[in-house]
Amino acid sequence: MRTRPLKVALLGCGVVGSEVARIMTTHADDLAARIGAPVELAGVAVRRPSKVREGIDPALITTDATALVERGDLDVVVEVIGGIEPARTLITTAFENGASVVSANKALLAEDGAALHAAAEKYGRDLYYEAAVAGAIPLVRPLRESLAGDKVNRVLGIVNGTTNFILDKMDTSGAGYSEALDEATALGYAEADPTADVEGFDAAAKAAILAGIAFHTRVKIGDVHREGITEVTAADIASARRMGCTVKLLAICERAADGASVTARVHPAMIPLSHPLASVREAYNAVFVEAEAAGQLMFYGPGAGGSPTASAVLGDLVAVCRNKLGEATGPGESAYTRLPVSPMGEVVTRYHISLDVADKPGVLAQVATVFAEQGVSIDTVRQQGKDGEASLVVVTHRAPDAALSGTVEALRKLDTVRGVASIMRVEGE
């Protein structure tokens, strides 16, 4: 074993960063044995230096992150500060000054991953980011390495624990969205400002990363169709139950049947209770991967939190340190297919549409005519009426999303349709 330690700098020391530092200290001997050399925490960049950080030598704390990554003697920089800047500049500066990088920054990777990979390649460094997607669940490395010889056709998953907790509570307890969000906040699953989670931004960033890796093409967060869960109601949950389904916020990345394009989307959807993802409860994550040779694979586990995310960071740290000792680098960006990302309107989906209609003869015929004119086939219809008002629930067969959207707009124009109570896609069949 080499006795000279590999020097590691930590950018950020919040929930995840502090746990990374703790594990590096308490498991130092094990990490050294697995890597083939000891690792030394050489500096920690923070915004609030006065905060007490148990187990970390105060002499290592600095507010000058730029000076830290410019030192020139670092082997690895671990970035867990998040956001676009200054993280982007700090990472590229680390590459320039001889360090490889381990990052948990999904937002940056989804926005500017190509440029970061190019910088890593230019300077002969590693860029690893297992912790950016689904916390402790090994997913990025299996897609980059274990399935590198296979053809992945679809990635379907629950990649945000906050939204899964909220939807699970709405399903199991009958709570409304606001009540379930309040409980998630009280338990620490939701941030004080939950927008990134509940509006689907977090899941969309992860979908962009997964699609890029799975299909060997470049997908940015702006390419991902995004819908959140704020409009999901208790009535939607109850309607899903009547269909033998549950509602999940899904990240779906698919290769077109002809292989000429890909799609990436995040939105709530009804999935059958028989589907493996339907049983994913509370704040857990799970991702279903469909590959040509390997078949169907499912990855499941805690998708967030200090310890799970730190586990993924440390796994990358070990791999990068091993590469350093062997004077090699791991896999970089693979974007050789250059496949275009199709717009949501071209995606073929099913819809569950709930309408408030007049309770009188001929209404169902009018509604059915609209579907036929838009070229959308109806699978099932359920109607209930009372005192001149009725609800009509229509579940369609698969059709282009644009045709389904056109159908909804045409339905709104019917005099007999009082309103569209809810619209939700149906997946997983």
Side-chain angles (χ1 to χ4, degrees), residues 307-327:
S307 294
T309 306
S311 172
V313 169
L314 267 295
D316 279 351
L317 178 63
V318 169
V320 170
C321 286
R322 286 172 175 169
N323 290 343
K324 277 278 184 179
L325 290 180
E327 298 183 345

Side-chain angles (χ1 to χ4, degrees), residues 199-423:
E199 293 292 356
F201 290 101
D202 175 86
K206 295 170 181 175
I209 295 169
L210 290 174
I213 299 170
F215 307 133
H216 303 277
T217 193
R218 287 178 178 168
V219 180
K220 299 178 71 171
I221 190 168
D223 299 320
V224 181
H225 174 83
R226 176 192 55 79
E227 298 172 30
I229 66 166
T230 55
E231 301 300 319
V232 177
T233 66
D236 293 327
I237 301 293
S239 189
R241 275 283 173 190
R242 285 192 290 270
M243 289 178 58
C245 294
T246 189
V247 177
K248 299 291 186 183
L249 183 73
L250 298 179
I252 305 171
C253 311
E254 294 178 303
R255 188 191 300 269
D258 62 3
S261 65
V262 299
T263 60
R265 51 196 165 106
V266 168
H267 54 72
M270 296 180 179
I271 59 173
L273 293 174
S274 58
H275 193 281
L277 292 178
S279 61
V280 179
R281 306 293 299 278
E282 298 196 331
Y284 277 75
N285 285 191
V287 178
F288 207 68
V289 176
E290 298 177 10
E292 202 165 84
Q296 297 180 331
L297 308 170
M298 184 167 169
F299 301 84
Y300 170 85
S307 294
T309 306
S311 172
V313 169
L314 267 295
D316 279 351
L317 178 63
V318 169
V320 170
C321 286
R322 286 172 175 169
N323 290 343
K324 277 278 184 179
L325 290 180
E327 298 183 345
T329 55
E333 182 188 34
S334 176
Y336 71 94
T337 63
R338 296 183 176 85
L339 296 173
V341 182
S342 297
M344 186 63 191
E346 297 179 12
V347 174
V348 177
T349 63
R350 298 180 66 203
Y351 263 38
H352 174 281
I353 305 171
S354 180
L355 305 171
D356 295 327
V357 300
D359 188 14
K360 62 181 184 181
V363 173
L364 181 56
Q366 287 184 333
V367 169
T369 297
V370 168
F371 278 88
E373 289 173 347
Q374 297 292 325
V376 178
S377 176
I378 295 174
D379 183 12
T380 62
V381 177
R382 186 176 70 253
Q383 184 174 9
Q384 293 179 320
K386 184 179 181 181
D387 299 330
E389 297 295 330
S391 64
L392 192 66
V393 176
V394 180
V395 179
T396 73
H397 286 292
R398 290 170 62 83
D401 199 78
L404 290 162
S405 297
T407 301
V408 172
E409 291 306 309
L411 289 170
R412 294 183 195 274
K413 296 176 182 178
L414 292 178
D415 293 338
T416 51
V417 174
R418 311 298 193 211
V420 180
S422 70
I423 308 167

